[in-house]
Amino acid sequence: QKEVEQNSGPLSVPEGAIASLNCTYSDQGSQSFFWYRQYSGKSPELIMFIYSNGDKEDGRFTAQLNKASQYVSLLIRDSQPSDSATYLCAVKSTGGFKTIFGAGTRLFVKA
Amino acid sequence: NAGVTQTPKFQVLKTGQSMTLQCAQDMNHNSMYWYRQDPGMGLRLIYYSASEGTTDKGEVPNGYNVSRLNKREFSLRLESAAPSQTSVYFCASSGGGRSYNEQFFGPGTRLTVL
């Protein structure tokens, strides 16, 4: 059973719209949550991290965490074609060194 | 700073051949990781090194060995390559950045085993 689940997509949104990416995880001891962006043929890069329940905003990106529901999401406002990529959700337990990655959601922003 | 570097970028092997993938980081990070990425599977951890001198198995260690040569370098060895090891391999390091847990990835090695 996968520990971090994401819808593989593709998720297609028009330019300027809000893109909503979702992720669920199974380990209740998870404490650190990350969103990585990966362009085709490139390596992943961190765009957001969140540790506490609630929302965390950084520019056009908002990460949302609900530990009771074991759910983390990423909102991208004013989506741009340059946001077209695969978004990987990653989860880490306290005190451990392993970060578990989801399979990723492909986002396509139409101009 | 170069960040995380990997060599080679591409490699084609025949079944049974061996090779070593090299990884180095210049960010003075304590922890280093090797992942493989296959279509639809996401990133799967092969081995990791929490600090210099230690290594531990990840999710898919069979068929691989690692060496943490020093704080900068972490190599991955395939002793007898199999077609199932065809994948993209990423090295990563952590121990700094916006979050202590942020992982910085190298450019990847695209390996094909025939």
Side-chain angles (χ1 to χ4, degrees):
Chain A
Q1 182 181 357
K2 276 193 172 181
E3 298 181 42
V4 178
E5 295 276 1
Q6 295 182 254
N7 189 321
S8 62
L11 173 65
S12 184
V13 300
E15 184 175 359
I18 296 175
S20 178
L21 305 162
N22 305 314
C23 172
T24 58
Y25 60 94
S26 59
D27 182 4
Q28 291 183 328
S30 300
Q31 295 292 329
S32 306
F33 306 88
F34 308 87
W35 284 99
Y36 286 80
R37 178 177 62 200
Q38 185 175 25
Y39 292 113
S40 181
K42 302 296 185 182
S43 55
E45 57 177 342
L46 183 72
I47 53 171
M48 289 288 292
F49 62 92
I50 186 167
Y51 296 155
S52 304
N53 275 331
D55 295 358
K56 180 181 179 182
E57 188 175 317
D58 184 0
R60 296 187 296 111
F61 299 98
T62 299
Q64 300 175 315
L65 175 61
N66 183 326
K67 288 185 179 179
S69 299
Q70 295 179 231
Y71 178 91
V72 59
S73 64
L74 179 70
L75 301 178
I76 306 175
R77 291 181 300 282
D78 188 24
S79 295
Q80 302 296 311
S82 58
D83 294 326
S84 297
T86 296
Y87 290 80
L88 305 173
C89 174
V91 174
K92 184 176 177 298
S93 298
T94 299
F97 288 93
K98 298 178 185 179
T99 298
I100 306 299
F101 286 81
T105 298
R106 284 188 298 139
L107 172 66
F108 179 59
V109 181
K110 298 176 292 185
Chain B
N1 287 351
V4 181
T5 57
Q6 291 183 238
T7 55
K9 286 188 169 52
F10 300 93
Q11 184 71 49
V12 178
L13 292 177
K14 294 181 180 178
T15 297
Q17 288 185 317
S18 62
M19 78 163 296
T20 300
L21 282 64
Q22 307 286 354
C23 174
Q25 53 93 8
D26 62 1
M27 295 174 283
N28 201 36
H29 287 169
N30 284 324
S31 302
M32 298 185 73
Y33 313 83
W34 276 105
Y35 293 92
R36 60 179 289 175
Q37 187 173 38
D38 303 294
M41 299 291 290
L43 287 162
R44 291 185 292 169
L45 184 64
I46 305 171
Y47 271 93
Y48 66 98
S49 172
S51 61
E52 184 179 356
T54 68
T55 60
D56 284 287
K57 294 178 180 179
E59 186 183 357
V60 288
N62 291 345
Y64 306 95
N65 284 301
V66 292
S67 295
R68 184 75 183 265
L69 303 170
N70 47 54
K71 191 170 186 179
R72 292 186 62 250
E73 298 172 288
F74 189 38
S75 63
L76 178 72
R77 182 160 179 84
L78 287 69
E79 291 291 351
S80 179
S84 60
Q85 294 179 304
T86 293
S87 188
V88 179
Y89 291 85
F90 288 103
C91 177
S93 69
S94 67
R98 291 169 290 167
S99 161
Y100 190 81
N101 296 310
E102 176 180 1
Q103 295 195 22
F104 294 82
F105 287 84
T109 295
R110 283 146 184 82
L111 174 67
T112 300
V113 183
L114 302 176

